Amino acid sequence: VTPREELIELVQRANGAGLSVAIHAIGDQANRHTLDALSAAKAVSLPETSPFLPNRIEHVQLLHPADLPRLTRLGVIASMQPIHCTSDMEMAERYWGTRARWSYAWRSLLEAGTTLCFGSDCPVEPLAPLRGIHAAVTRRRPDGSPGPEGWYPQERLTVSQAVYAYTLGCAIASGEAHLKGSITPGKLADLVILSQDIFQIEPMGILETEVVGTIIGGRMVYRQF
């Protein structure tokens, strides 16, 4: 909704003042204009005293394949919501046609070296991260559609990759990787205990997994056992 030249000016002003940007972009043209603006901002000098977080694109739901490597080159975080893929796949095919191959392109982005930061887009979608992990790993709806291989299965992630995007990927995006995002000595002990090992079970079973315990800052704040 923002003209390309205006977007370039806004991003340059923000980055020049030491502020990173988070730009909502869904279509391939919107993402191209966003990447053009982020590229133009690379020439802007940053204040030496300003701690600068990575710029990021919210959603990145459709990319032209030529633009896919640009996020890595520009150091841009891909802030994406896996549940959108399975919720919107029919609409994506209706409006994007064969271009839908490059929608929700998690594995392609990851293999290009892009940092993925996963979320829920709540309240548009359910908050539950396990539903998002399931969508990222299977690209299938809870009823199993569109089939065993999922929708554009070449873009599926492993459970480890999906969990990383929901944890350390988000900590990188917020500039807090030194503090959170992994179960590591010296970091905040924020973690959950699950009813089953999602790294070992059949991926569709992730939907039946429950959080049976929650630890925040090393303190148990919720438990079912």
Side-chain angles (χ1 to χ4, degrees):
V1 298
T2 306
R4 179 179 179 275
E5 296 305 317
E6 181 182 349
L7 186 63
I8 290 173
E9 180 186 355
L10 288 168
V11 174
Q12 287 180 326
R13 285 174 56 198
N15 282 185
L19 299 172
S20 58
V21 296
I23 302 174
H24 180 292
I26 290 178
D28 47 2
Q29 178 173 282
N31 277 291
R32 175 164 290 182
H33 286 179
T34 297
L35 289 165
D36 289 346
L38 294 167
S39 180
K42 275 288 188 180
V44 175
S45 297
L46 297 175
E48 292 183 7
T49 57
S50 176
F52 191 71
L53 300 177
N55 290 312
R56 69 180 193 263
I57 303 177
E58 297 295 326
H59 304 314
V60 204
Q61 282 181 233
L62 180 65
L63 285 165
H64 188 285
D67 290 326
L68 194 143
R70 298 178 69 192
L71 283 89
T72 303
R73 290 201 300 265
L74 295 169
V76 177
I77 301 282
S79 176
M80 305 178 77
Q81 300 76 28
I83 201 73
H84 284 163
C85 169
T86 49
S87 292
D88 298 348
M89 58 188 179
E90 292 171 354
M91 182 169 60
E93 288 189 342
R94 183 163 66 249
Y95 288 104
W96 293 338
T98 57
R99 290 183 297 157
R101 158 65 186 91
W102 297 103
S103 58
Y104 319 96
W106 310 312
R107 180 171 286 277
S108 293
L109 284 165
L110 195 62
E111 290 179 348
T114 303
T115 296
L116 301 179
C117 164
F118 281 170
S120 67
D121 207 36
C122 183
V124 175
E125 297 283 3
L127 182 62
L130 287 167
R131 290 190 60 175
I133 292 170
H134 168 265
V137 172
T138 67
R139 293 177 75 98
R140 300 171 71 184
R141 290 176 174 170
D143 65 3
S145 62
E149 294 301 309
W151 189 63
Y152 291 108
Q154 60 269 54
E155 295 297 343
R156 292 183 315 207
L157 297 179
T158 66
V159 175
S160 293
Q161 290 167 338
V163 169
Y164 183 102
Y166 268 103
T167 53
L168 197 54
C170 295
I172 292 169
S174 65
E176 298 177 297
H178 64 289
L179 184 65
K180 58 179 68 172
S182 62
I183 304 173
T184 307
K187 293 190 180 183
L188 294 173
D190 294 349
L191 51 120
V192 295
I193 302 165
L194 302 179
S195 61
Q196 51 186 345
D197 186 348
I198 62 173
F199 296 92
Q200 299 294 328
I201 62 173
E202 197 278 324
M204 287 299 288
I206 294 173
L207 289 174
E208 279 72 59
T209 305
E210 295 182 359
V211 176
V212 297
T214 304
I215 299 170
I216 298 177
R219 185 171 65 90
M220 181 76 72
V221 297
Y222 170 75
R223 61 188 298 171
Q224 285 186 4
F225 54 89

